[in-house]
Amino acid sequence: MQQPSFDLSGQVALVTGAGRGLGRAIALALANAGADVALGLRDIAADGGLADEIAGLGRRALKLQMDAGNLDQSRAAMDEAIAKLGRIDILVNNVGGGGSQGPVEDFTEQTFDDTIGINLKSSFFIAQYAGKHMIARGSGRIINMSSQAAFVALPGEAIYCIAKAAVSHMTKCMAVEWGKYGITVNAVAPTFIATPGTAPALADPVFKADVEDRIAALHRIGEPHEVAGAVVFLASPAASLITGQTMLIDGGWTAR
């Protein structure tokens, strides 16, 4: 009887937003599972030693200048990854940001465009470009970055919630169209995770206590490796029958 495999040996992964937080943890987890990793970095000179850590695991690491908000630069980075590492088997489309907060009635058109642009537009076109390469090869794994905000209304973050909900539905659309090419497309949807990006908000003890209370089952802030584990699973042969899904990693927030 065939047993599930979580081994990524011989695979090439591209992780966008790899410089810190979730992206960094995901890149290391993929390397630990056997993959070579291309690192999409907003500043190629600021990887914080990540490439060396991956090399220390015996994997290839390629640093790429890749600001996800710059689609021409992102496409060029993907071309470089394919040229130097041979292919992209796994795309971790770690794109997004909360942007401005406020009541629905006060958001400006520019804020809407900026938030949708980085969370949805960039995610779509990066996945599209990698998807074309995977279609030609007849296989691939794409893991998009959604959020628990796709499933619950977070006061003051309406546009972000809308954008991440769209990412989850985009994931379904891509999965349905690209399954015939041997490509699976899934997403992960984390709750509040302890990263440099969430540190300012979580430094407020009142806000942190409210978040911990809303994470109804576990009552604690998540850690980056807890998201990275789900990504490795979705990228692995063990998840070969899973596509079009958004995996909530929310400690029970949406179960309440």
Side-chain angles (χ1 to χ4, degrees):
M1 179 178 176
Q2 184 173 350
Q3 295 300 312
S5 171
F6 303 91
D7 183 16
L8 298 179
S9 296
Q11 300 287 294
V12 175
L14 168 62
V15 181
T16 67
R20 64 177 194 165
L22 289 179
R24 182 184 183 89
I26 290 166
L28 285 169
L30 291 168
N32 192 62
D36 297 322
V37 188
L39 307 171
L41 302 164
R42 182 176 294 181
D43 179 358
I44 196 170
D47 78 321
L50 178 58
D52 289 339
E53 283 191 61
I54 291 172
L57 294 171
R59 316 301 176 200
R60 292 183 294 171
L62 175 65
K63 295 192 290 185
L64 301 169
Q65 179 59 49
M66 188 177 182
D67 181 345
N70 183 330
L71 290 175
D72 287 338
Q73 187 182 92
S74 295
R75 293 182 184 109
M78 287 185 275
D79 286 340
E80 183 180 351
I82 293 165
K84 293 184 176 178
L85 297 179
R87 64 193 182 280
I88 298 172
D89 299 299
I90 301 159
L91 169 67
V92 181
N93 203 7
N94 177 40
V95 178
S100 299
Q101 296 189 2
V104 170
E105 64 270 23
D106 288 349
F107 281 121
T108 65
E109 185 176 353
Q110 188 63 55
T111 297
F112 184 94
D113 289 345
D114 289 346
T115 306
I116 295 294
I118 190 58
N119 287 285
L120 179 60
K121 181 180 177 180
S122 293
S123 292
F124 178 89
F125 284 105
I126 289 172
Q128 180 198 62
Y129 199 76
K132 290 179 180 179
H133 167 69
M134 293 174 179
I135 288 169
R137 294 191 63 247
S139 66
R141 298 279 191 270
I142 295 174
I143 299 101
N144 295 317
M145 186 59 66
S146 184
S147 167
Q148 70 176 16
F151 298 88
V152 294
L154 301 179
E157 300 187 51
I159 302 174
Y160 178 72
C161 292
I162 292 165
K164 288 304 189 182
V167 168
S168 287
H169 202 72
M170 176 189 83
T171 297
K172 292 182 179 182
C173 293
M174 290 177 172
V176 167
E177 293 199 23
W178 291 348
K180 62 186 176 183
Y181 301 112
I183 300 167
T184 66
V185 187
N186 292 290
V188 292
T191 186
F192 285 89
I193 305 296
T195 69
T198 61
L202 294 174
D204 178 348
V206 175
F207 178 82
K208 183 179 179 181
D210 181 61
V211 168
E212 290 174 336
D213 179 62
R214 289 177 181 274
I215 299 176
L218 300 179
H219 298 289
R220 64 175 176 81
I221 306 301
E223 295 294 334
H225 72 271
E226 295 176 300
V227 178
V231 172
V232 170
F233 166 64
L234 290 172
S236 76
S240 58
L241 196 60
I242 300 174
T243 195
Q245 303 302 309
T246 297
M247 181 182 291
L248 277 156
I249 310 167
D250 70 349
W253 184 305
T254 58
R256 186 154 86 177

